[in-house]
Amino acid sequence: MKIGDKVRFLNSVGGGIVRKFQGKDIVFVEEEDGFETPVLIRECVVIESNETQVKSASKAVAQTVEIKHTEAEKNKEEEKVVSEISGKDILNVYLVFIPSDIKNLGKCNYETYLVNDSNYFLFLNYMNRDNNAWNSRFRGVIEPNSHLLLEEFGKEDLNSLEKICVQFLAYKEDKKYTLKNAQSIEIRIDGVKFYKLHSFRENDFFEDEALVYPIVVNDIPEKEMLVSATDIQEAMNQKAKMDLPQPKLITVKKDNLPDIIEIDLHINELIDTTVGLDNTAMLNIQLDKFREVMEQNKFRKKQKIVFIHGKGEGVLRNAIIQELKTKYKNCRFQDASFKEYGFGATMVTVF
């Protein structure tokens, strides 16, 4: 007889579980009412040993674990069965931005999604450029024919997202497939678009209106980085902005002078709303437009460009003049015609 054995009394009704011994003759038995009754050992008979109970319990636990393991294996096998869509064995990948409140652009946060419109798994690394290095913002696997939330960010993060890179490796699980090249695509995000209502449009992937950037379309990457780091740095220094919308150009024909391009840099002409923008943010948007026009025309000799910036406190005018002195030394500048533009315009001539 051992502690934990279940016993029955020989000379009376009842029984219970052995809890302790006293000397060689007395055992304390816990009955159903919870009380421990002292009984002579010779008046008890063991009807179920503690070892039997432990083995039974262990067996029950083992059976439960085995059942759960079997169910887990079954679920795992079911998860491996990925349905494919006919015609989706070509890569179509998109980066999508959705505002949390489209009626409050400039104040709300934005969600970033990657859309995988193909039958391939994508092993992804999503990055942004931080000075001369890259910062990984998301790493993971995206399943076929699905979209995945990469991050949520606020307007204060827009400047850091100007240059982003999407790298991924495409593959299939447990089946043969056509080999796809590993991709590394760098794109420029135009922060101004996040303040324009018409930038967010209906799309094939979400019910909400969204800003969609193609990454790979029909197996063809939008921009694949196959140049050296030196070339990349040089290109960045030139501030090439080929993907920006074309500026509003107004040409004015003067007698024997070349056509004059007029660019209105008033902030209301560049974006739909200034809600949520401070003076620094608006100045950066205006300077971006100035640089864009200058890059497009810096090799057109004798081209005249009038930047209409208004008088104000002269902050924008001074910033433009500083840019002209340091980055566009092949250009001359002067105040534009007072008769036509008043005090608020600067004329640039390319030489």
Side-chain angles (χ1 to χ4, degrees):
M1 185 180 299
K2 299 180 297 297
I3 293 176
D5 288 351
K6 189 174 183 180
V7 299
R8 180 170 56 82
F9 302 145
L10 292 176
N11 297 326
S12 61
V13 178
I17 299 175
V18 175
R19 293 306 182 194
K20 62 182 178 180
F21 295 92
Q22 183 175 318
K24 297 182 179 180
D25 301 320
I26 304 297
V27 61
F28 283 81
V29 179
E30 181 182 335
E31 299 188 65
E32 292 181 357
D33 56 9
F35 290 98
E36 294 182 0
T37 304
V39 185
L40 292 172
I41 293 178
R42 63 175 180 269
E43 294 182 357
C44 300
V45 60
V46 177
I47 59 175
E48 185 176 348
S49 69
N50 185 36
E51 291 180 356
T52 303
Q53 296 177 45
V54 172
K55 289 181 180 179
S56 299
S58 299
K59 184 176 181 181
V61 171
Q63 289 175 342
T64 302
V65 172
E66 183 177 358
I67 292 172
K68 290 182 178 180
H69 181 72
T70 303
E71 291 177 350
E73 289 293 330
K74 183 179 179 181
N75 293 335
K76 188 174 180 180
E77 291 297 327
E78 291 176 351
E79 289 175 358
K80 286 184 178 181
V81 180
V82 178
S83 59
E84 295 192 347
I85 300 176
S86 177
K88 291 293 186 71
D89 271 357
I90 55 176
L91 293 178
N92 284 283
V93 182
Y94 304 87
L95 193 64
V96 180
F97 299 96
I98 300 178
S100 59
D101 185 359
I102 199 168
K103 295 182 179 179
N104 288 297
L105 295 180
K107 290 185 176 181
C108 68
N109 287 345
Y110 301 87
E111 294 178 340
T112 306
Y113 291 87
L114 194 92
V115 174
N116 176 17
D117 191 22
S118 74
N119 290 331
Y120 285 78
F121 286 86
L122 301 182
F123 188 76
L124 173 74
N125 186 19
Y126 171 66
M127 302 168 286
N128 73 296
R129 189 175 181 88
D130 185 4
N131 295 323
N132 295 323
W134 289 94
N135 174 46
S136 183
R137 303 177 72 92
F138 177 88
R139 300 174 303 280
V141 175
I142 301 180
E143 296 184 353
N145 302 301
S146 66
H147 61 264
L148 182 66
L149 175 65
L150 303 184
E151 65 173 347
E152 181 177 352
F153 63 90
K155 65 184 181 71
E156 65 276 4
D157 299 315
L158 278 174
N159 289 337
S160 65
L161 291 174
E162 182 180 5
K163 285 285 186 177
I164 64 174
C165 181
V166 177
Q167 295 180 330
F168 65 83
L169 180 68
Y171 65 96
K172 292 187 179 182
E173 291 186 348
D174 304 318
K175 63 179 64 177
K176 296 180 180 179
Y177 57 89
T178 302
L179 181 65
K180 303 291 184 180
N181 291 330
Q183 302 289 354
S184 181
I185 300 95
E186 183 182 343
I187 62 175
R188 181 189 180 279
I189 301 298
D190 184 1
V192 176
K193 291 184 178 181
F194 288 80
Y195 297 97
K196 294 185 175 182
L197 186 61
H198 63 77
S199 298
F200 299 91
R201 302 177 181 178
E202 293 184 0
N203 57 90
D204 296 330
F205 313 115
F206 298 90
E207 294 181 359
D208 298 319
E209 295 179 336
L211 175 58
V212 179
Y213 282 86
I215 304 299
V216 174
V217 178
N218 295 331
D219 278 343
I220 301 175
E222 285 296 291
K223 293 181 181 179
E224 188 170 5
M225 302 304 292
L226 297 176
V227 293
S228 67
T230 302
D231 293 335
I232 295 173
Q233 186 62 49
E234 183 179 349
M236 291 185 65
N237 291 336
Q238 293 177 354
K239 294 288 185 180
K241 300 178 179 180
M242 302 302 294
D243 55 343
L244 287 174
Q246 295 298 317
K248 299 177 182 178
L249 303 180
I250 303 175
T251 58
V252 181
K253 193 69 175 179
K254 305 286 182 179
D255 297 332
N256 295 321
L257 296 176
D259 291 345
I260 297 177
I261 299 175
E262 293 183 352
I263 304 297
D264 194 339
L265 294 179
H266 285 91
I267 192 65
N268 292 330
E269 292 294 322
L270 302 179
I271 59 177
D272 294 335
T273 177
T274 59
V275 175
L277 291 177
D278 57 20
N279 291 336
T280 301
M282 290 189 284
L283 177 62
N284 287 334
I285 292 172
Q286 292 169 311
L287 287 176
D288 282 345
K289 179 61 69 176
F290 164 77
R291 294 166 186 147
E292 173 193 346
V293 176
M294 290 302 301
E295 287 298 319
Q296 292 176 349
N297 295 278
K298 65 182 180 181
F299 299 119
R300 297 176 182 173
K301 292 186 177 181
K302 297 185 179 182
Q303 178 64 63
K304 295 182 181 295
I305 310 168
V306 173
F307 292 98
I308 304 171
H309 44 67
K311 186 177 180 182
E313 298 179 359
V315 176
L316 178 57
R317 178 181 182 277
N318 292 336
I320 289 174
I321 291 175
Q322 183 64 26
E323 291 265 337
L324 290 169
K325 289 180 178 179
T326 57
K327 297 182 180 180
Y328 304 101
K329 296 182 179 180
N330 65 320
C331 299
R332 296 179 183 175
F333 61 90
Q334 65 187 59
D335 290 336
S337 170
F338 174 79
K339 182 178 179 180
E340 295 186 39
Y341 306 103
F343 288 108
T346 298
M347 175 180 284
V348 177
T349 304
V350 181
F351 285 90

